[in-house]
Amino acid sequence: MSSDTERLVTGVAARTSERGAATRVALLAAAREVFVASGFAEAGVTDVVARAGASVGSLYHHFSGKADLYLTLFDDFQTRQTQRTKQAVQEARTGGEADPMRLFIAGARAYLEGCFAERELAALFLRGDGPPGFEVIMRDRLRQWAKRNAALFEGDEGALVVVLTGALAAAVSEVALSEDEEASRNLAEGVLAIVGQIRRP
């Protein structure tokens, strides 16, 4: 194969890959809009592809179906939330903070801010209208979250981590599902203030 032919083949492959990536992004954006507007159960694959300007075939090229779209949106959201909390904790540490409770609160505040920034998406995952088995995935993520929180504390403080994670999970639910953003912000700050007063055993 000549170098010109190789460049042509490489260029075509790159453009095809770019189109595929753009289609995948469009499908996810459309799925987010459709799921937020209609809920998972009522949303149809045809609604998603119509909104994305794509074909049903392209959807099934990138995803195994409606549940896969939903779970991908969830995973992407959780990845962004993890990045937000890690960055907040790292910034607090860089600023000289070493107290585990204050580090926890820095991460918790970043997580809650992420829920405010993406309220519709956070609410989508908390409404209970997900694909079959999603509640098991949510429970597993909560356990993973508790493990990450536990890493901030030294020693055997399992009960404390359960209390802190439970309090934050309740605040997240209120933030995401409340119609009144100002009231839910006040509640979130109240929860963080109370958590900040908890003394480690």
Side-chain angles (χ1 to χ4, degrees):
M1 188 183 295
S2 72
S3 60
D4 288 341
T5 305
E6 285 177 9
R7 279 198 298 274
L8 180 62
V9 169
T10 302
V12 169
R15 285 191 299 278
T16 301
S17 177
E18 288 170 9
R19 276 197 307 271
T23 299
R24 186 178 189 280
V25 168
L27 286 165
L28 281 171
R32 176 180 176 152
E33 292 173 14
V34 171
F35 291 152
V36 164
S38 306
F40 175 79
E42 295 298 318
V45 166
T46 54
D47 300 325
V48 173
V49 295
R51 187 161 298 203
S55 67
V56 172
S58 66
L59 185 145
Y60 285 106
H61 174 73
H62 293 283
F63 303 96
S64 61
K66 187 169 76 163
D68 192 17
L69 281 165
Y70 186 96
L71 295 174
T72 301
L73 287 170
F74 178 70
D75 285 339
D76 289 351
F77 174 70
Q78 289 300 322
T79 297
R80 289 190 297 277
Q81 289 291 75
T82 299
Q83 289 169 345
R84 287 171 174 131
T85 56
K86 282 183 177 177
Q87 181 178 349
V89 170
Q90 185 57 48
E91 286 174 0
R93 281 188 171 130
T94 301
E97 187 58 70
D99 179 66
M101 187 65 76
R102 291 194 178 123
L103 292 173
F104 171 82
I105 289 171
R109 179 170 277 113
Y111 194 96
L112 288 166
E113 283 300 325
C115 289
F116 279 114
E118 301 187 60
R119 275 181 92 196
E120 290 181 338
L121 200 57
L124 172 67
F125 303 128
L126 290 168
R127 283 196 300 249
D129 174 31
F134 184 65
E135 64 281 353
V136 175
I137 293 169
M138 285 290 277
R139 279 198 302 272
D140 184 56
R141 287 300 171 100
L142 191 60
R143 281 193 296 272
Q144 290 174 27
W145 192 17
K147 283 182 184 177
R148 283 195 302 271
N149 291 339
L152 294 173
F153 298 90
E154 295 174 5
D156 183 19
E157 300 186 19
L160 176 62
V161 171
V162 168
V163 169
L164 294 176
T165 303
L168 187 55
V172 165
S173 182
E174 187 61 30
V175 163
L177 298 175
S178 173
E179 297 291 326
D180 186 338
E181 183 174 345
E182 184 178 350
S184 58
R185 277 190 180 278
N186 291 338
L187 177 72
E189 284 301 323
V191 168
L192 292 176
I194 291 168
V195 165
Q197 294 172 21
I198 295 175
R199 292 291 165 259
R200 296 166 63 199

